[in-house]
Amino acid sequence: MWGYKRFFKRTQLETSDYLKDDILLIRCSVGVVRSHTEGPKIYSIPVPPSNIGQHFGKLLESGKGIDVNFEVDGEIYAAHKLVLAVRSPVFRAQLFGPMKDQNTKCIKVEDMDAPVFKALLHFIYWDALPDMEEFFGLNSKWASTLMSQHLLAASDRYALERLRLLCEAKLCEEVAINTVATTLALAEQHQCFQLKAVCLKFIAQPENLKAVMQTDGFEYLRESCPFVITELLQYVARIGEHSVISCGHVNKALDGDMNGRRVKQRLH
Amino acid sequence: MWGYKRFFKRTQLETSDYLKDDILLIRCSVGVVRSHTEGPKIYSIPVPPSNIGQHFGKLLESGKGIDVNFEVDGEIYAAHKLVLAVRSPVFRAQLFGPMKDQNTKCIKVEDMDAPVFKALLHFIYWDALPDMEEFFGLNSKWASTLMSQHLLAASDRYALERLRLLCEAKLCEEVAINTVATTLALAEQHQCFQLKAVCLKFIAQPENLKAVMQTDGFEYLRESCPFVITELLQYVARIGEHSVISCGHVNKALDGDMNGRRVKQRLH
């Protein structure tokens, strides 16, 4: 009903029953007309997911057309300049920039373990993290976390943004007492703000704090990023405050009070 | 309750109240024990989707490092041998096989329109179909369907399996009276069984058949794939049979009978 042509004359309104004590109440019903409707699709053909990563992964495995070698910690890794340059701006500068390496027969990579470089190449070609267990024979969560930590540092060095986030996500998933302090130090050093926040929250939990403080990683954190310890203390103080409030006003029977006290004991 | 040790002696059972008129009713309660439980994850860091296609797409756009040119219908397209070879076994043979083209400065591509080759290159690098409207300025469904038809043929020629399925899915989505007969011919010629089935079903619908038969595409289909016409007739006969059964036994008021008759009229 498009009512714009339906007028009500003023005189007619003023003498009508609609006006009560000089008040006219208007009730509006608003309807929404959808200009675009779509029926259910009767036919559809499923499309498989992207496989471009597999295509380049197989190229790496085949070793065909290689034009550059890297020596990492005594191991030699062959690759394709074009692929490396497309994926990493750092490799691009190193291989095609004005200051490019002249000798691409064997470029030496310093300060990196061979398996980390291998995993880096895997990501560059496959566009996915390798399966740590299959790839390195690592079958403990600890070893997998250690590899992700190294790979995070390598991803930052070669400006591989998605690899960095994949490592962050993995480290976040694997966050644990014995490795979290090193992960926090790493997050701080490589500006991984999300991962840093996760680590701080995890360590500041009353049930984790004391145990984390007894790990070697915490000692390393204290030495390499002393200011992060202050941030951690702020987190702990906030949680302590929270639990004092909750035990004072809401529920004394719960372990809020105990948590609050435990946190204080640990930090003095 | 793991009851395998709880036996009931036969004599005891036979004299018990459980047995009534030589009948023993057994009620079993089966419980499922889940061996693996997982709590909700407190922390998680989101990882962006794969961007390897964008990396190679930008390489194509930049034109850096090109080492091969194609002349298609008077247009020149530059590309990278390595990328082409990785993505298409046909390009691999053409560029690196024992019978490889010696002159890669300019390889001539016959029997293909320039925009189709351009779209093919787009897929090879970006791993996605181009936006037909943006890419070619095509703004009608008909023009988009025509491009998908050509691209399907090109994907078969260069053995790009995923591109073929992307085209099939697009043609399936855009199935329409004026283009479906050509699509069916194409599906037949390039062994696209899913697409062929969709086209046959669509054409055989009583509300579509007559109109499709009046298109130029149907004439082309009749000439190029005469045996598909027989298959189509089988489809129609099956639908006709179905509607006769449904109008005879189930519901005379519905248009089953009318459909049945209309189909017969159209085919005699």
Side-chain angles (χ1 to χ4, degrees):
Chain A
M1 294 242 289
W2 314 99
Y4 60 91
K5 278 182 182 163
R6 298 184 171 195
F7 294 103
F8 206 123
K9 282 189 180 160
R10 190 191 175 103
T11 49
Q12 214 174 335
L13 175 69
E14 280 175 352
T15 56
S16 77
D17 285 347
Y18 292 118
L19 216 63
K20 287 200 166 81
D21 301 331
D22 248 22
I23 291 171
L24 175 71
L25 196 72
I26 297 176
R27 183 181 155 189
C28 297
S29 291
V30 179
V32 176
V33 179
R34 285 196 193 170
S35 60
H36 181 78
T37 54
E38 210 173 284
K41 277 175 194 155
I42 309 167
Y43 315 120
S44 81
I45 291 175
V47 178
S50 169
N51 56 359
I52 185 168
Q54 285 164 46
H55 285 161
F56 282 97
K58 281 173 191 162
L59 175 69
L60 180 66
E61 277 177 3
S62 78
K64 280 180 186 158
I66 57 152
D67 51 7
V68 62
N69 286 291
F70 294 90
E71 192 200 322
V72 194
D73 198 19
E75 299 279 334
I76 303 292
Y77 294 101
H80 304 79
K81 287 201 269 183
L82 185 73
V83 179
L84 300 183
V86 160
R87 299 283 279 151
S88 151
V90 176
F91 276 125
R92 188 148 65 240
Q94 191 177 15
L95 299 166
F96 295 102
M99 303 281 285
K100 68 184 173 194
D101 270 273
Q102 295 306 317
N103 170 29
T104 53
K105 274 202 178 160
C106 202
I107 295 175
K108 203 158 183 163
V109 178
E110 307 283 359
D111 302 322
M112 193 177 290
D113 291 344
V116 178
F117 192 80
K118 196 182 172 191
L120 191 86
L121 278 188
H122 182 104
F123 169 80
I124 286 176
Y125 283 75
W126 288 91
D127 198 34
L129 279 181
D131 180 310
M132 299 297 179
E133 200 170 325
E134 259 184 47
F135 204 66
F136 301 112
L138 305 178
N139 55 8
S140 77
K141 191 177 157 188
W142 179 83
S144 162
T145 300
L146 204 68
M147 174 51 82
S148 300
Q149 287 174 344
H150 280 277
L151 207 47
L152 174 64
S155 72
D156 194 26
R157 178 164 161 186
Y158 286 103
L160 293 160
E161 200 48 43
R162 208 173 90 86
L163 176 59
R164 193 207 179 40
L165 281 160
L166 279 165
C167 292
E168 279 193 59
K170 204 158 166 33
L171 288 170
C172 169
E173 209 176 275
E174 291 174 355
V175 74
I177 299 282
N178 58 342
T179 50
V180 68
T182 326
T183 300
L184 176 55
L186 200 75
E188 175 63 28
Q189 286 152 4
H190 297 281
Q191 287 91 48
C192 307
F193 304 113
Q194 292 183 87
L195 185 59
K196 183 179 167 182
V198 167
C199 293
L200 282 172
K201 261 189 207 165
F202 180 86
I203 301 176
Q205 295 303 313
E207 63 273 25
N208 299 333
L209 187 62
K210 195 172 173 184
V212 172
M213 285 180 76
Q214 286 164 350
T215 62
D216 293 343
F218 191 81
E219 200 50 37
Y220 170 72
L221 175 71
R222 211 172 53 77
E223 279 165 22
S224 57
C225 322
F227 41 93
V228 175
I229 302 292
T230 316
E231 281 187 66
L232 180 59
L233 196 60
Q234 283 165 347
Y235 253 88
V236 172
R238 220 176 300 154
I239 291 180
E241 208 174 45
H242 214 76
S243 63
V244 168
I245 292 169
S246 77
C247 79
H249 298 283
V250 184
N251 198 342
K252 284 208 177 193
L254 288 178
D255 63 349
D257 182 71
M258 204 185 149
N259 279 348
R261 256 192 278 130
R262 270 166 64 198
V263 170
K264 278 171 192 164
Q265 277 173 354
R266 277 169 183 169
L267 285 170
H268 282 304
Chain B
M1 295 244 289
W2 312 100
Y4 60 91
K5 278 182 183 164
R6 298 184 172 196
F7 294 102
F8 206 122
K9 281 189 181 161
R10 190 190 174 103
T11 48
Q12 214 174 335
L13 176 68
E14 281 175 351
T15 55
S16 76
D17 286 346
Y18 293 118
L19 216 63
K20 286 199 167 80
D21 300 332
D22 248 23
I23 291 170
L24 175 71
L25 197 70
I26 297 176
R27 185 180 152 189
C28 297
S29 291
V30 179
V32 176
V33 178
R34 285 194 194 172
S35 59
H36 180 77
T37 54
E38 209 173 285
K41 278 178 192 151
I42 309 167
Y43 314 120
S44 81
I45 292 175
V47 178
S50 169
N51 56 359
I52 186 168
Q54 285 164 47
H55 285 162
F56 282 97
K58 280 172 191 161
L59 175 70
L60 180 66
E61 278 177 2
S62 78
K64 280 180 186 158
I66 57 153
D67 52 7
V68 62
N69 286 291
F70 294 90
E71 192 200 323
V72 193
D73 197 20
E75 299 279 336
I76 302 292
Y77 294 102
H80 304 79
K81 287 200 270 183
L82 185 72
V83 179
L84 300 182
V86 160
R87 299 282 280 152
S88 151
V90 176
F91 276 125
R92 189 148 64 241
Q94 191 176 14
L95 298 166
F96 296 101
M99 303 281 284
K100 68 183 172 193
D101 270 274
Q102 295 306 317
N103 170 28
T104 53
K105 275 201 177 160
C106 203
I107 295 174
K108 204 159 182 162
V109 177
E110 307 283 359
D111 302 322
M112 193 177 290
D113 291 344
V116 178
F117 192 81
K118 195 181 173 192
L120 191 86
L121 277 188
H122 182 103
F123 169 79
I124 286 176
Y125 283 76
W126 289 90
D127 199 34
L129 280 181
D131 180 311
M132 298 297 180
E133 200 171 322
E134 259 184 47
F135 205 65
F136 301 112
L138 306 178
N139 55 9
S140 77
K141 192 178 155 188
W142 179 82
S144 162
T145 299
L146 204 68
M147 174 51 81
S148 301
Q149 287 174 343
H150 280 278
L151 207 46
L152 174 64
S155 72
D156 194 27
R157 179 164 160 187
Y158 286 103
L160 293 161
E161 200 48 41
R162 208 173 90 87
L163 176 59
R164 191 196 115 112
L165 280 160
L166 279 165
C167 292
E168 279 193 58
K170 204 160 166 34
L171 288 170
C172 169
E173 208 176 274
E174 292 174 354
V175 73
I177 299 283
N178 59 342
T179 50
V180 68
T182 326
T183 300
L184 175 55
L186 200 74
E188 175 64 28
Q189 285 152 4
H190 297 281
Q191 288 90 48
C192 307
F193 303 113
Q194 293 183 87
L195 185 59
K196 182 179 168 183
V198 167
C199 292
L200 282 173
K201 260 188 207 165
F202 180 86
I203 302 176
Q205 295 302 313
E207 63 273 25
N208 299 333
L209 187 61
K210 195 171 175 184
V212 172
M213 285 180 77
Q214 285 164 350
T215 62
D216 293 343
F218 191 81
E219 200 49 38
Y220 169 72
L221 176 71
R222 210 173 52 78
E223 280 165 21
S224 57
C225 322
F227 42 93
V228 175
I229 303 292
T230 315
E231 281 187 66
L232 180 58
L233 196 61
Q234 282 165 349
Y235 254 88
V236 172
R238 220 176 301 155
I239 291 179
E241 207 174 46
H242 214 74
S243 63
V244 168
I245 291 170
S246 77
C247 80
H249 298 282
V250 185
N251 198 341
K252 283 206 178 195
L254 287 178
D255 64 351
D257 182 72
M258 205 184 147
N259 279 347
R261 256 191 278 130
R262 271 166 64 199
V263 170
K264 278 173 191 164
Q265 277 172 357
R266 278 170 182 166
L267 285 171
H268 282 305

